[in-house]
Amino acid sequence: MPKDAEPAFYERADAHINLSNAQLQQAAPGEVSASMMYATARFNTSLSAGSFATGAEFAAHRRQSIEYFLREYRLALEEHMDEYIANFEPYMERSRGGA
C-alpha cells in the first residue's frame, strides 16, 4: 500500500472492488477474479505502451515493465494476505454477514 496515498487512491481501489463484488451476483468468484486480473493486465499494458514512441521501444522494455507490475502486485498481495491472516476471524465474520 502506498505510504503517502491520498484518499482518492483508496476511493478508486474501492470502486473497482465494489464493481467486482456486484458482479458476484451473476458470476462465480473465480470468474470475477479472473476478469479483474485480465482487465488490470490489459489496462497496465495499454498505459505502458503509451509511454513509448514505437512498438520496438516498447518491446525493448517489455521485460522491465512486466517485472515492475509483478513486483508491485506481489507486494500488495503479500500485504493483504498478511492483514487477512492477522484478522481472519473478524474479517470473515463481516463478510459472512456477521458483526
Side-chain angles (χ1 to χ4, degrees), residues 12-74:
R12 288 188 302 270
D14 287 345
H16 292 287
I17 292 167
N18 290 337
L19 174 60
S20 291
N21 283 334
Q23 292 174 347
L24 292 172
Q25 301 300 312
Q26 299 168 350
E31 293 171 342
V32 174
S33 176
S35 295
M36 188 175 202
M37 286 192 292
Y38 179 84
T40 299
R42 186 172 173 178
F43 182 78
N44 287 335
T45 298
S46 176
L47 288 182
S48 294
S51 65
F52 297 102
T54 66
E57 185 182 354
F58 184 31
H61 290 87
R62 180 182 183 275
R63 181 177 177 162
Q64 295 94 322
S65 295
I66 290 170
E67 288 174 1
Y68 167 78
F69 287 115
L70 290 177
R71 182 177 55 250
E72 292 299 310
Y73 181 78
R74 182 180 189 93

